[in-house]
Coordinates of all heavy atoms in Angstrom, one line a residue:
M1 N 231.6 -213.3 96.2 CA 232.2 -214.0 95.2 C 233.4 -214.8 95.4 O 234.3 -214.2 96.2 CB 232.4 -213.3 93.9 CG 231.2 -212.8 93.1 SD 231.5 -212.1 91.6 CE 232.2 -210.4 92.1
G2 N 233.6 -215.9 94.9 CA 234.9 -216.7 95.1 C 235.6 -217.0 93.9 O 235.1 -216.6 92.8
T3 N 236.8 -217.4 93.9 CA 237.5 -217.9 92.9 C 237.2 -219.4 92.5 O 236.4 -220.1 93.4 CB 239.0 -217.7 92.9 OG1 239.5 -218.6 94.0 CG2 239.5 -216.3 93.3
G4 N 237.6 -220.0 91.4 CA 237.4 -221.3 91.2 C 238.1 -222.1 92.1 O 237.5 -223.3 92.5
M5 N 239.1 -221.8 92.8 CA 239.8 -222.5 93.8 C 238.9 -222.7 94.9 O 238.9 -223.9 95.6 CB 241.1 -221.9 94.1 CG 242.1 -222.8 94.9 SD 242.5 -224.2 93.9 CE 243.3 -225.1 95.1
S6 N 238.3 -221.7 95.4 CA 237.3 -221.8 96.5 C 236.1 -222.9 96.3 O 235.8 -223.5 97.2 CB 236.7 -220.4 96.9 OG 235.8 -220.0 95.9
F7 N 235.7 -223.1 95.0 CA 234.7 -224.0 94.7 C 235.3 -225.3 94.9 O 234.8 -226.2 95.5 CB 234.1 -223.9 93.2 CG 233.2 -222.8 93.1 CD1 233.4 -221.8 92.1 CD2 232.1 -222.7 93.9 CE1 232.4 -221.0 92.0 CE2 231.2 -221.7 93.7 CZ 231.2 -220.8 92.8
V8 N 236.5 -225.6 94.4 CA 237.3 -226.9 94.5 C 237.6 -227.3 95.8 O 237.4 -228.5 96.2 CB 238.5 -226.8 93.6 CG1 239.2 -228.3 93.7 CG2 238.2 -226.7 92.1
T9 N 237.9 -226.4 96.6 CA 238.4 -226.8 98.0 C 237.3 -226.7 99.1 O 237.4 -227.4 100.1 CB 239.4 -225.9 98.4 OG1 239.1 -224.4 98.4 CG2 240.6 -226.1 97.6
F10 N 236.2 -225.9 98.8 CA 235.1 -225.8 99.9 C 233.9 -226.4 99.5 O 232.9 -226.3 100.4 CB 235.1 -224.3 100.3 CG 236.3 -223.7 100.9 CD1 237.0 -222.8 100.1 CD2 236.9 -224.3 102.0 CE1 238.2 -222.3 100.7 CE2 237.9 -223.8 102.5 CZ 238.6 -222.7 101.9
K11 N 233.7 -226.8 98.3 CA 232.3 -227.3 98.0 C 232.4 -228.6 97.3 O 233.2 -228.8 96.3 CB 231.7 -226.3 97.0 CG 230.1 -226.5 97.0 CD 229.5 -225.1 96.3 CE 228.0 -225.4 96.3 NZ 227.3 -224.2 95.7
H12 N 231.5 -229.6 97.7 CA 231.7 -230.9 97.2 C 230.9 -231.0 95.9 O 229.8 -230.4 95.7 CB 231.1 -232.0 98.1 CG 231.8 -232.0 99.5 ND1 233.1 -232.5 99.6 CD2 231.6 -231.5 100.7 CE1 233.6 -232.5 100.7 NE2 232.7 -231.8 101.5
G13 N 231.3 -231.9 95.0 CA 230.7 -232.1 93.7 C 231.0 -231.3 92.5 O 230.3 -231.3 91.5
V14 N 232.0 -230.5 92.5 CA 232.3 -229.6 91.5 C 232.7 -230.2 90.2 O 232.6 -229.5 89.2 CB 233.5 -228.7 91.9 CG1 233.2 -227.8 93.0 CG2 234.7 -229.4 92.1
F15 N 233.0 -231.4 90.1 CA 233.2 -232.1 88.9 C 232.0 -233.0 88.5 O 232.2 -233.8 87.6 CB 234.5 -233.0 89.0 CG 235.7 -232.2 89.2 CD1 236.4 -232.2 90.5 CD2 236.3 -231.4 88.2 CE1 237.6 -231.4 90.6 CE2 237.2 -230.5 88.4 CZ 238.0 -230.6 89.6
A16 N 231.0 -232.8 89.1 CA 229.8 -233.6 88.7 C 229.2 -233.0 87.5 O 229.4 -231.9 87.0 CB 228.7 -233.5 89.8
E17 N 228.3 -233.8 86.7 CA 227.7 -233.3 85.6 C 226.8 -232.0 85.8 O 226.7 -231.0 85.0 CB 226.7 -234.3 85.0 CG 226.2 -234.1 83.6 CD 225.5 -235.2 83.0 OE1 225.9 -236.4 83.2 OE2 224.5 -235.0 82.3
Q18 N 226.2 -231.8 86.9 CA 225.3 -230.8 87.3 C 225.9 -230.3 88.7 O 226.2 -231.1 89.5 CB 223.9 -231.0 87.4 CG 223.3 -231.3 86.0 CD 221.7 -231.7 86.3 OE1 221.2 -231.7 87.2 NE2 221.1 -231.8 85.0
F19 N 225.9 -229.0 88.9 CA 226.5 -228.3 90.0 C 225.8 -227.1 90.4 O 225.5 -226.3 89.4 CB 227.9 -228.1 89.9 CG 228.7 -227.5 91.0 CD1 229.0 -228.2 92.1 CD2 229.2 -226.1 90.8 CE1 229.6 -227.6 93.0 CE2 230.0 -225.6 91.8 CZ 230.1 -226.4 93.0
H20 N 225.5 -226.8 91.8 CA 224.9 -225.6 92.2 C 226.0 -224.5 92.3 O 226.9 -224.8 93.0 CB 224.1 -225.8 93.4 CG 223.6 -224.5 94.0 ND1 224.3 -223.8 94.9 CD2 222.4 -223.9 93.8 CE1 223.6 -222.7 95.4 NE2 222.6 -222.8 94.6
V21 N 225.8 -223.4 91.7 CA 226.8 -222.4 91.9 C 226.2 -221.2 92.7 O 225.1 -220.7 92.4 CB 227.1 -221.8 90.5 CG1 228.0 -220.6 90.6 CG2 227.8 -222.8 89.7
N22 N 226.8 -220.9 93.8 CA 226.4 -219.7 94.7 C 226.6 -218.4 93.8 O 227.3 -218.3 93.1 CB 227.4 -219.7 96.0 CG 227.1 -220.9 96.8 OD1 226.1 -221.6 96.8 ND2 228.3 -221.2 97.6
Q23 N 225.5 -217.6 94.2 CA 225.6 -216.4 93.5 C 225.8 -216.4 91.9 O 226.5 -215.8 91.3 CB 226.5 -215.3 94.0 CG 226.3 -215.1 95.5 CD 227.4 -214.3 96.1 OE1 228.5 -214.0 95.5 NE2 227.2 -213.6 97.3
A24 N 224.9 -217.3 91.3 CA 225.1 -217.5 89.9 C 225.1 -216.3 89.0 O 225.8 -216.2 88.0 CB 224.0 -218.6 89.5
D25 N 224.3 -215.3 89.3 CA 224.2 -214.1 88.5 C 225.5 -213.4 88.5 O 225.8 -212.7 87.5 CB 223.1 -213.2 89.1 CG 221.8 -213.6 88.9 OD1 221.5 -214.5 88.1 OD2 220.9 -213.1 89.6
A26 N 226.3 -213.6 89.6 CA 227.7 -212.8 89.6 C 228.8 -213.7 89.2 O 229.9 -213.3 88.6 CB 228.0 -212.4 90.9
N27 N 228.6 -215.1 89.2 CA 229.7 -215.9 89.0 C 229.6 -216.8 87.7 O 230.5 -217.6 87.4 CB 229.8 -217.0 90.2 CG 230.3 -216.3 91.3 OD1 231.3 -215.7 91.3 ND2 229.7 -216.6 92.4
L28 N 228.5 -216.6 87.0 CA 228.4 -217.4 85.7 C 228.2 -216.4 84.5 O 227.8 -215.3 84.7 CB 227.3 -218.4 85.8 CG 227.2 -219.5 86.7 CD1 226.1 -220.3 86.7 CD2 228.5 -220.4 86.4
A29 N 228.6 -216.8 83.4 CA 228.3 -216.1 82.1 C 227.6 -216.9 81.1 O 228.0 -218.2 81.1 CB 229.6 -215.5 81.5
H30 N 226.8 -216.4 80.2 CA 226.1 -217.2 79.2 C 227.2 -217.6 78.2 O 228.0 -216.8 77.8 CB 225.0 -216.3 78.5 CG 224.4 -216.9 77.3 ND1 223.5 -218.1 77.6 CD2 224.5 -216.8 76.1 CE1 223.1 -218.4 76.3 NE2 223.7 -217.8 75.5
L31 N 227.0 -218.9 77.7 CA 228.1 -219.3 76.7 C 227.3 -219.1 75.4 O 226.3 -219.8 75.1 CB 228.4 -220.7 76.9 CG 229.5 -221.4 76.1 CD1 230.8 -220.6 76.3 CD2 229.5 -222.9 76.4
P32 N 227.8 -218.3 74.5 CA 227.2 -218.0 73.2 C 227.2 -219.4 72.4 O 228.1 -220.3 72.6 CB 228.1 -217.1 72.4 CG 229.0 -216.4 73.6 CD 228.9 -217.4 74.6
E33 N 226.2 -219.6 71.4 CA 226.2 -220.8 70.7 C 227.4 -221.0 69.9 O 227.6 -222.3 69.7 CB 224.9 -220.7 69.8 CG 223.6 -220.7 70.6 CD 222.3 -220.7 69.8 OE1 222.5 -221.1 68.6 OE2 221.2 -220.4 70.3
H34 N 228.1 -220.1 69.4 CA 229.2 -220.4 68.5 C 230.4 -220.9 69.3 O 231.4 -221.2 68.6 CB 229.5 -219.1 67.5 CG 230.0 -218.0 68.4 ND1 229.1 -217.1 69.0 CD2 231.3 -217.5 68.7 CE1 229.9 -216.2 69.7 NE2 231.2 -216.5 69.4
V35 N 230.3 -220.8 70.6 CA 231.5 -221.1 71.5 C 231.4 -222.6 71.8 O 230.5 -223.0 72.6 CB 231.8 -220.3 72.7 CG1 232.9 -220.7 73.6 CG2 231.9 -218.8 72.3
S36 N 232.4 -223.4 71.5 CA 232.3 -224.9 71.8 C 232.6 -225.1 73.3 O 233.3 -224.2 73.8 CB 233.3 -225.6 70.9 OG 234.6 -225.4 71.2
L37 N 232.3 -226.3 73.9 CA 232.7 -226.5 75.2 C 234.1 -226.6 75.3 O 234.7 -226.2 76.4 CB 232.0 -227.9 75.6 CG 230.5 -227.9 75.6 CD1 230.0 -229.3 76.1 CD2 230.0 -226.8 76.7
E38 N 235.0 -227.0 74.3 CA 236.4 -227.1 74.3 C 236.9 -225.8 74.5 O 237.9 -225.4 75.3 CB 236.9 -227.9 73.1 CG 236.6 -229.4 73.2 CD 235.2 -229.7 72.7 OE1 234.4 -228.7 72.1 OE2 234.9 -230.8 72.8
Q39 N 236.5 -224.7 73.8 CA 236.9 -223.4 73.8 C 236.6 -222.8 75.1 O 237.3 -221.9 75.7 CB 236.2 -222.7 72.7 CG 236.7 -223.0 71.4 CD 235.9 -222.2 70.2 OE1 234.7 -222.2 70.4 NE2 236.5 -221.8 69.2
A40 N 235.4 -223.1 75.6 CA 234.9 -222.5 76.9 C 235.8 -222.9 78.1 O 236.2 -222.2 79.0 CB 233.5 -222.8 77.3
V41 N 236.3 -224.3 77.9 CA 237.3 -224.8 79.1 C 238.6 -224.0 79.0 O 239.1 -223.7 79.9 CB 237.5 -226.3 78.8 CG1 238.5 -226.8 79.6 CG2 236.1 -227.0 79.2
M42 N 239.0 -223.8 77.7 CA 240.3 -223.0 77.6 C 240.2 -221.7 78.2 O 241.1 -221.1 78.9 CB 240.7 -223.0 76.1 CG 240.9 -224.2 75.4 SD 242.4 -225.0 76.1 CE 243.7 -224.2 75.1
I43 N 238.9 -221.0 78.0 CA 238.8 -219.6 78.6 C 238.7 -219.7 80.1 O 239.5 -219.0 80.8 CB 237.6 -219.0 78.1 CG1 237.7 -218.7 76.6 CG2 237.1 -217.8 78.8 CD1 236.4 -218.3 75.9
S44 N 237.9 -220.6 80.7 CA 237.9 -220.9 82.0 C 239.2 -221.3 82.9 O 239.4 -220.9 83.9 CB 236.7 -221.6 82.5 OG 236.9 -222.9 82.1
D45 N 239.8 -221.9 82.1 CA 241.1 -222.5 82.7 C 242.4 -221.5 82.5 O 243.0 -221.0 83.4 CB 241.5 -223.9 82.2 CG 242.7 -224.6 82.8 OD1 243.0 -224.1 83.9 OD2 243.3 -225.3 82.3
M46 N 242.7 -221.4 81.2 CA 243.9 -220.6 80.9 C 243.8 -219.2 81.2 O 244.7 -218.6 81.7 CB 244.2 -220.7 79.3 CG 244.2 -222.1 78.9 SD 245.4 -223.1 79.7 CE 245.2 -224.7 78.9
M47 N 242.6 -218.6 81.0 CA 242.4 -217.2 81.3 C 242.5 -216.9 82.8 O 243.2 -216.0 83.2 CB 241.1 -216.5 80.7 CG 241.1 -215.1 80.8 SD 239.7 -214.4 79.9 CE 238.3 -214.9 80.9
A48 N 241.8 -217.6 83.6 CA 241.7 -217.6 85.1 C 243.2 -217.8 85.5 O 243.5 -217.0 86.5 CB 240.8 -218.4 85.6
T49 N 243.9 -218.8 85.2 CA 245.2 -219.1 85.6 C 246.2 -217.9 85.4 O 246.9 -217.3 86.2 CB 245.7 -220.4 85.1 OG1 244.9 -221.4 85.4 CG2 247.1 -220.6 85.6
G50 N 246.1 -217.4 84.2 CA 246.9 -216.2 83.7 C 246.6 -215.0 84.4 O 247.6 -214.2 85.0
F51 N 245.4 -214.7 84.6 CA 245.0 -213.4 85.2 C 245.3 -213.6 86.7 O 245.8 -212.5 87.4 CB 243.5 -213.1 85.2 CG 243.1 -212.6 83.8 CD1 243.9 -212.8 82.6 CD2 242.1 -211.7 83.6 CE1 243.6 -212.3 81.4 CE2 241.8 -211.2 82.4 CZ 242.5 -211.4 81.2
Y52 N 245.2 -214.6 87.3 CA 245.5 -214.9 88.8 C 247.0 -214.7 89.0 O 247.4 -214.2 90.0 CB 245.0 -216.4 89.2 CG 245.2 -216.5 90.7 CD1 244.7 -215.6 91.6 CD2 246.0 -217.6 91.2 CE1 244.8 -215.9 93.0 CE2 246.1 -217.8 92.5 CZ 245.6 -216.9 93.5 OH 245.7 -217.1 94.8
A53 N 247.9 -215.3 88.0 CA 249.3 -215.0 88.1 C 249.8 -213.5 88.1 O 250.5 -213.0 88.9 CB 250.0 -215.6 87.0
A54 N 249.0 -212.7 87.2 CA 249.3 -211.3 87.3 C 248.8 -210.7 88.5 O 249.5 -209.8 89.0 CB 248.4 -210.7 86.1
E55 N 247.7 -211.2 89.1 CA 247.2 -210.6 90.4 C 248.3 -210.9 91.5 O 248.5 -210.1 92.3 CB 246.0 -211.2 90.7 CG 245.3 -210.6 91.9 CD 243.9 -211.3 92.2 OE1 243.2 -211.6 91.4 OE2 243.6 -211.5 93.5
L56 N 248.6 -212.2 91.4 CA 249.6 -212.6 92.5 C 251.1 -211.8 92.4 O 251.7 -211.6 93.5 CB 250.0 -214.1 92.5 CG 249.0 -215.1 92.9 CD1 249.4 -216.4 92.8 CD2 248.6 -214.8 94.5
A57 N 251.4 -211.4 91.3 CA 252.6 -210.7 90.9 C 252.5 -209.2 91.5 O 253.5 -208.5 91.5 CB 253.0 -210.7 89.5
E58 N 251.3 -208.8 91.8 CA 250.9 -207.3 92.3 C 251.5 -206.4 91.4 O 252.1 -205.5 91.6 CB 251.6 -207.2 93.7 CG 251.1 -208.2 94.7 CD 251.6 -208.0 96.1 OE1 252.5 -207.1 96.4 OE2 251.2 -208.8 96.9
I59 N 251.2 -206.6 90.1 CA 251.6 -205.7 88.9 C 250.9 -204.4 89.1 O 249.6 -204.3 89.3 CB 251.3 -206.3 87.7 CG1 252.1 -207.5 87.4 CG2 251.6 -205.3 86.5 CD1 251.8 -208.5 86.3
K60 N 251.6 -203.3 89.0 CA 251.1 -201.9 89.1 C 251.3 -201.2 87.9 O 252.1 -201.5 87.1 CB 251.9 -201.2 90.4 CG 251.7 -201.8 91.7 CD 252.5 -201.1 92.7 CE 252.9 -201.9 93.9 NZ 253.5 -203.2 93.6
P61 N 250.4 -200.2 87.6 CA 250.6 -199.4 86.3 C 252.0 -198.9 86.1 O 252.5 -198.4 87.2 CB 249.6 -198.3 86.5 CG 248.5 -198.8 87.4 CD 249.2 -199.6 88.3
G62 N 252.5 -199.2 85.0 CA 253.9 -198.6 84.7 C 255.1 -199.7 85.0 O 256.2 -199.6 84.5
D63 N 254.7 -200.8 85.6 CA 255.6 -201.8 85.8 C 255.9 -202.5 84.4 O 255.3 -202.6 83.5 CB 255.0 -203.1 86.7 CG 254.9 -202.6 88.1 OD1 255.6 -201.6 88.5 OD2 254.5 -203.4 89.0
T64 N 257.2 -202.9 84.5 CA 257.7 -203.8 83.3 C 257.6 -205.3 83.6 O 257.9 -205.7 84.8 CB 259.2 -203.4 83.0 OG1 259.3 -202.1 82.7 CG2 259.8 -204.2 81.8
V65 N 257.1 -206.0 82.6 CA 256.7 -207.6 82.9 C 257.5 -208.3 81.7 O 257.5 -207.9 80.7 CB 255.2 -207.7 82.8 CG1 255.0 -209.2 82.9 CG2 254.6 -207.1 84.0
A66 N 257.9 -209.4 82.3 CA 258.5 -210.5 81.3 C 257.9 -211.7 81.6 O 257.7 -212.0 82.8 CB 260.2 -210.5 81.4
C67 N 257.6 -212.4 80.6 CA 256.9 -213.7 80.6 C 257.7 -214.8 80.0 O 258.0 -214.6 78.8 CB 255.5 -213.6 80.1 SG 254.5 -215.2 80.2
F68 N 258.2 -215.6 80.6 CA 259.1 -216.9 80.1 C 258.1 -218.0 80.0 O 257.7 -218.6 80.7 CB 260.1 -217.1 81.1 CG 261.1 -216.0 81.3 CD1 260.9 -215.1 82.2 CD2 262.1 -215.8 80.4 CE1 261.7 -213.9 82.4 CE2 262.9 -214.6 80.6 CZ 262.8 -213.8 81.5
G69 N 257.9 -218.4 78.7 CA 257.0 -219.5 78.2 C 255.8 -218.8 77.7 O 255.0 -218.3 78.6
I70 N 255.6 -218.8 76.4 CA 254.5 -218.0 75.9 C 253.4 -219.0 75.3 O 253.0 -218.8 74.2 CB 255.0 -217.0 74.9 CG1 254.1 -215.8 74.7 CG2 255.6 -217.6 73.6 CD1 253.8 -215.0 75.7
G71 N 253.0 -220.0 76.0 CA 251.8 -220.8 75.6 C 250.5 -220.1 76.0 O 250.5 -218.9 76.3
P72 N 249.4 -220.8 76.1 CA 248.1 -220.3 76.4 C 248.1 -219.4 77.8 O 247.7 -218.4 77.9 CB 247.2 -221.4 76.4 CG 247.8 -222.4 75.6 CD 249.3 -222.2 75.7
V73 N 248.7 -220.1 78.8 CA 248.8 -219.5 80.1 C 249.6 -218.2 80.1 O 249.4 -217.2 80.7 CB 249.1 -220.5 81.3 CG1 249.3 -219.8 82.5 CG2 248.1 -221.6 81.3
G74 N 250.8 -218.3 79.4 CA 251.7 -217.2 79.4 C 251.0 -216.0 78.7 O 251.2 -214.9 79.2
L75 N 250.4 -216.2 77.5 CA 249.7 -215.1 76.9 C 248.6 -214.5 77.8 O 248.4 -213.3 77.8 CB 248.9 -215.7 75.5 CG 250.0 -216.1 74.4 CD1 249.1 -216.9 73.4 CD2 250.6 -214.7 73.9
M76 N 247.8 -215.4 78.5 CA 246.8 -214.8 79.4 C 247.5 -214.1 80.5 O 246.9 -213.1 81.1 CB 245.8 -215.9 79.8 CG 245.1 -216.5 78.8 SD 243.9 -215.3 78.1 CE 244.6 -214.9 76.6
S77 N 248.7 -214.4 81.0 CA 249.5 -213.8 82.1 C 249.7 -212.4 81.6 O 249.7 -211.4 82.2 CB 250.6 -214.5 82.5 OG 250.3 -215.7 83.0
L78 N 250.2 -212.3 80.4 CA 250.6 -211.0 79.7 C 249.3 -210.2 79.6 O 249.4 -208.9 79.9 CB 251.2 -211.1 78.4 CG 252.7 -211.6 78.3 CD1 253.2 -211.8 77.1 CD2 253.5 -210.5 79.1
A79 N 248.2 -210.7 79.0 CA 246.9 -210.0 79.0 C 246.4 -209.5 80.4 O 246.1 -208.3 80.5 CB 245.7 -210.9 78.4
G80 N 246.7 -210.4 81.4 CA 246.3 -209.8 82.7 C 247.2 -208.7 83.2 O 246.6 -207.8 83.8
A81 N 248.5 -208.8 83.0 CA 249.5 -207.8 83.4 C 249.1 -206.4 82.5 O 249.1 -205.4 83.2 CB 250.8 -208.2 83.0
Q82 N 248.8 -206.6 81.4 CA 248.5 -205.5 80.5 C 247.1 -204.8 81.1 O 247.0 -203.5 81.2 CB 248.3 -205.7 79.1 CG 249.7 -205.9 78.5 CD 249.6 -206.4 77.1 OE1 248.6 -206.6 76.6 NE2 250.9 -206.3 76.5
I83 N 246.1 -205.5 81.5 CA 244.9 -205.0 82.0 C 245.3 -204.3 83.4 O 244.5 -203.2 83.6 CB 243.9 -206.1 82.4 CG1 243.4 -206.6 80.9 CG2 242.9 -205.7 83.3 CD1 242.5 -207.8 80.9
R84 N 246.2 -204.7 84.1 CA 246.7 -204.1 85.4 C 247.6 -202.8 85.1 O 247.8 -202.2 86.1 CB 247.3 -205.1 86.3 CG 246.3 -206.2 86.7 CD 247.1 -207.3 87.6 NE 247.5 -206.6 88.9 CZ 246.8 -206.6 89.9 NH1 245.5 -207.1 90.0 NH2 247.3 -206.1 91.1
G85 N 247.9 -202.6 83.9 CA 248.6 -201.4 83.5 C 250.0 -201.6 83.4 O 250.8 -200.5 83.3
C86 N 250.5 -202.6 83.2 CA 252.0 -202.9 82.9 C 252.4 -202.2 81.5 O 251.6 -202.3 80.6 CB 252.5 -204.2 83.0 SG 252.3 -205.2 81.5
F87 N 253.6 -201.7 81.5 CA 254.0 -201.2 80.1 C 255.6 -201.0 80.4 O 255.9 -200.2 81.3 CB 253.4 -199.9 79.6 CG 253.9 -199.5 78.4 CD1 253.4 -200.2 77.1 CD2 254.8 -198.5 78.2 CE1 253.8 -199.8 76.0 CE2 255.3 -198.2 77.0 CZ 254.9 -198.7 75.9
P88 N 256.5 -201.5 79.6 CA 256.2 -202.6 78.6 C 256.2 -204.0 79.0 O 256.3 -204.1 80.2 CB 257.5 -202.2 77.6 CG 258.6 -202.0 78.7 CD 257.8 -201.1 79.6
S89 N 255.8 -204.8 78.0 CA 255.8 -206.3 78.5 C 256.6 -207.0 77.4 O 256.6 -206.7 76.2 CB 254.4 -206.8 78.5 OG 253.8 -206.6 77.3
Y90 N 257.2 -208.0 77.9 CA 258.2 -208.8 77.1 C 257.8 -210.2 77.1 O 257.4 -210.7 78.3 CB 259.7 -208.6 77.5 CG 260.1 -207.2 77.4 CD1 260.2 -206.4 78.5 CD2 260.5 -206.7 76.1 CE1 260.6 -205.1 78.3 CE2 261.1 -205.3 76.0 CZ 261.0 -204.6 77.2 OH 261.4 -203.3 77.1
C91 N 258.0 -211.0 76.2 CA 257.7 -212.5 76.3 C 258.9 -213.3 75.7 O 259.6 -212.7 74.6 CB 256.5 -212.9 75.6 SG 256.2 -212.5 74.0
C92 N 259.2 -214.4 76.1 CA 260.2 -215.3 75.7 C 259.7 -216.7 75.4 O 259.0 -217.1 76.3 CB 261.5 -215.2 76.6 SG 262.1 -213.6 77.0
R93 N 260.1 -217.3 74.4 CA 259.9 -218.7 74.3 C 261.1 -219.4 73.8 O 262.1 -218.8 73.6 CB 258.7 -218.7 73.0 CG 259.3 -218.6 71.6 CD 258.4 -218.8 70.7 NE 258.7 -218.5 69.4 CZ 259.4 -219.3 68.6 NH1 259.6 -220.5 69.1 NH2 259.8 -219.0 67.3
K94 N 260.9 -220.7 74.2 CA 262.2 -221.6 73.8 C 262.3 -221.7 72.4 O 261.3 -221.9 71.6 CB 261.8 -223.0 74.5 CG 262.8 -224.1 74.3 CD 262.5 -225.2 74.9 CE 263.5 -226.3 74.8 NZ 263.1 -227.6 75.4
P95 N 263.6 -221.4 71.9 CA 263.7 -221.6 70.4 C 263.5 -223.0 69.9 O 263.8 -223.9 70.6 CB 265.2 -221.0 70.2 CG 265.7 -221.4 71.6 CD 264.8 -221.1 72.6
S96 N 262.8 -222.9 68.7 CA 262.7 -224.4 68.2 C 263.9 -224.7 67.5 O 264.6 -224.0 67.0 CB 261.4 -224.3 67.1 OG 261.7 -223.2 66.3
I97 N 264.1 -226.0 67.6 CA 265.3 -226.7 67.0 C 264.9 -227.5 65.8 O 264.1 -228.4 66.1 CB 266.2 -227.4 68.0 CG1 266.6 -226.5 69.2 CG2 267.3 -228.0 67.5 CD1 267.2 -227.3 70.3
S98 N 265.5 -227.3 64.8 CA 265.1 -228.1 63.6 C 266.5 -228.9 63.2 O 267.5 -228.4 63.3 CB 264.7 -227.3 62.4 OG 265.7 -226.4 62.0
Y99 N 266.3 -230.1 63.0 CA 267.4 -231.0 62.5 C 267.3 -231.4 61.2 O 266.5 -231.3 60.5 CB 267.3 -232.3 63.4 CG 267.5 -232.2 64.8 CD1 266.3 -232.1 65.7 CD2 268.6 -232.1 65.4 CE1 266.4 -231.8 67.0 CE2 268.9 -231.9 66.8 CZ 267.7 -231.8 67.7 OH 267.8 -231.6 69.0

């Protein structure tokens, strides 16, 4: 199995309307009817990026994690860190300024 990056860098046509996926049984999931294509893109982009960030950080059980920027990717990074066993986790966002 490979990551999305390996498809982009090693296989031609990944942005075509139709695309052959190697080992489709392991690399694809059925999209339920109630999930829109827009929602599916968010899952496949934001979740994969956030989980990959947690993997690159080499988070171990019991590590403390802080995430600066709590948009969709930040939330998925925290989710990935928690799956890897971090505790506690903190998140920070830029304060909103009202005039």
Side-chain angles (χ1 to χ4, degrees):
M1 283 192 290
T3 63
M5 194 62 186
S6 64
F7 282 129
V8 173
T9 56
F10 299 116
K11 196 163 181 181
H12 297 290
V14 295
F15 295 110
E17 188 173 326
Q18 294 183 353
F19 177 72
H20 173 264
V21 175
N22 297 334
Q23 300 176 343
D25 289 341
N27 288 312
L28 295 178
H30 174 73
L31 186 62
E33 289 183 21
H34 69 277
V35 176
S36 71
L37 293 178
E38 291 80 10
Q39 291 170 321
V41 167
M42 294 295 274
I43 292 169
S44 65
D45 182 23
M46 306 305 176
M47 190 169 73
T49 302
F51 281 33
Y52 187 55
E55 183 180 329
L56 287 178
E58 298 180 0
I59 296 166
K60 296 173 202 62
D63 284 352
T64 300
V65 173
C67 181
F68 296 88
I70 199 66
V73 174
L75 286 171
M76 291 297 102
S77 298
L78 284 176
Q82 290 175 347
I83 287 171
R84 294 179 64 88
C86 85
F87 183 82
S89 60
Y90 302 93
C91 58
C92 304
R93 68 176 179 86
K94 183 178 178 181
S96 55
I97 300 173
S98 59
Y99 294 95

